[in-house]
Amino acid sequence: MAFPKHASESDIFLHSSFASRFVRDSLPRFSVPQDSMSREAAYQSIHDELQFDAVPKFNLASFVTTSMEEECNKLIMESINKNYVDMDEYPITTDLHNRCVNMIARLFHAELEENENAIGAGTVGSSEAIMLAGLAFKKKWQNKRKAEGKPYDKPNLVTGSNVQVCWEKFARYFEVELREVEVREGYYVMDPAKAVELVDENTICVAAILGSTYNGEFEDVKLLNDLLLQKNKQSGWDTPIHVDAASGGFVAPFLYPELEWDFRLALVKSINVSGHKYGLVYAGIGWVIWRTKDDLPEDLVFHINYLGADQPTFTLNFSKGSSQIIAQYYQLIRLGHEGYGSIMENCRENAMVLKEDLEKCGRFNILSKDDGVPVVAFSLKDRRQYDEYKISEMLRRHGWIVPAYPMPPAAQHINVLRVVIRAEAEFSRTLVQRLVFDIYNVLLELEKMHTPTIPNNIKEEKMMLIKSEVKKSAMDAQKEVIVQESNKRKKIMAS
């Protein structure tokens, strides 16, 4: 039994969890316990164990939002018990969902009349959104092939090898051949020309990535569209494009409004975006938008009536919380173009500061681009003594989670460290400078660890130079942090 002792009268009335018997017993791991515990003890026990998780703010591996305003947190808690699928019971929540779809569709330049409703759906993330978009492409391709009396049993999908794993899941789960364009050293995204070469009459779509998981880079959707238009004209096919804008869909409209990647391009038929990334909502919300009603085959839409009214639904799951949908609507009306633009600009500037400081130390190659998702991806110039994985491991001792990983196949000999710059409330300029300071300290520590034990004049001179450079950089970073904090205090006192 998990709790061998029965609750005594003193246990029941004892207010301190730390004085109760539950502190002496381990929490159950495999079987439901026979006895109950107080709510305070249950909370305290779980709360304490969770302290060993990383601090979300310092998790620089993740694109996912970890901080929202208190007013939005209140809305989330007020709606946490609402099941979104009960549309007839919660009509206002359903309306907020539809407003989000309409706003995002117009953000992506869908051709809609002033009061026309867009075609789209909220999902639990971009993975579900991609599954739905992929199914729509497959079904539409199959319907056309059936009507033409042609085989429809060998669909394929063209992507770059840098796609997120959800595309591989879609291909495997729904029996679609995945044709990947290999990346190469120095070019870490899908080459549009090579992608078009892989297209044939069985291609259900070409998937372009607006914000690569590996380095944040935007793929050239405009060039892909132009090349594919030519091939479609020559072949008589009508191969479409899906844009996976999970990371970049809430970045490009505000930082690069002139960039053509969305429904302004004729062949882009659907787009997915993660509301829980740069849409600035907690984990659990994504969106998929279709260009027109014709791009979502009607035979994929189910109609249910056992919740009180006829309800169309096209999702992979049924029950789903309402909180994240309401939080997304809050952010859209709270921030508007002005707020999102300001936040994205701050993210970009912080990314540039980090990039420039990393370049100053002379140890890293920068693999991310200035234009793209605010991500800084970098690799060591010299890996003879230590590698990116060691740096990642040692940064954890300072509280930072900075992932190290290999590039996709054909470039997997290159290891990368990646820092995702999220909204300013989560990763401010001060924290950027603190990260740089800690990276420099890690480099200095690694150099000490690999210093030869037998003195050598040439090696000693080189080591002294290395130490001097790193210490100087670290001191500069620390001074900047101190000055910035001092200026903040002066502003507060002045106000």
Side-chain angles (χ1 to χ4, degrees), residues 18 78 196 280 294 330 334 336 432 447-448 470 475:
F18 299 107
E78 289 167 3
V196 173
L280 307 181
D294 293 337
Y330 172 91
R334 160 79 173 98
V432 171
E447 295 293 349
K448 287 180 179 178
V470 175
M475 288 174 63

Side-chain angles (χ1 to χ4, degrees), residues 46 125 132 187 268 290 373 399 429:
I46 297 171
L132 297 177
Y187 195 95
V268 174
W290 284 274
V373 175
R429 183 67 57 85

Side-chain angles (χ1 to χ4, degrees), residues 170-295:
F170 167 76
R172 188 178 302 176
Y173 294 167
F174 297 104
E175 298 180 324
V176 175
E177 177 195 353
L178 188 64
R179 297 183 174 181
E180 293 184 327
V181 179
E182 287 191 343
V183 303
R184 59 184 183 273
E185 186 170 351
Y187 195 95
Y188 303 109
V189 293
M190 180 179 69
D191 185 329
K194 291 184 178 180
V196 173
E197 289 175 5
L198 295 179
V199 170
D200 61 22
E201 63 179 347
N202 293 322
T203 302
I204 63 173
C205 78
V206 181
I209 313 299
L210 195 78
S212 172
T213 298
Y214 290 88
N215 68 345
E217 187 175 351
F218 291 164
E219 292 182 344
D220 194 338
V221 188
K222 176 68 165 62
L223 177 57
L224 175 64
N225 180 83
D226 294 345
L227 293 174
L228 198 51
L229 278 172
Q230 293 177 12
K231 184 156 189 173
N232 284 346
K233 184 177 181 181
Q234 294 167 359
S235 63
W237 306 329
D238 56 357
T239 308
I241 295 171
H242 174 85
V243 179
D244 179 357
S247 300
F250 278 107
V251 175
F254 304 108
L255 287 184
Y256 315 104
E258 302 305 317
L259 181 67
E260 295 183 31
W261 63 273
D262 51 17
F263 293 125
R264 286 171 288 185
L265 302 177
L267 293 180
V268 174
K269 302 299 182 181
S270 56
I271 301 171
N272 69 276
V273 63
S274 292
H276 58 222
K277 293 183 180 177
Y278 289 100
L280 307 181
V281 178
Y282 294 134
I285 185 68
W287 302 93
V288 57
I289 310 293
W290 284 274
R291 185 186 194 92
T292 67
K293 188 176 181 179
D294 293 337
D295 295 308

Side-chain angles (χ1 to χ4, degrees), residues 90-113:
Y90 305 123
I92 304 304
T93 300
T94 302
D95 188 46
L96 296 186
H97 166 276
N98 295 338
R99 294 181 201 178
C100 290
V101 169
N102 286 326
M103 290 180 180
I104 295 170
R106 286 168 171 80
L107 190 65
F108 296 164
H109 296 94
E111 296 179 0
L112 299 164
E113 300 295 331

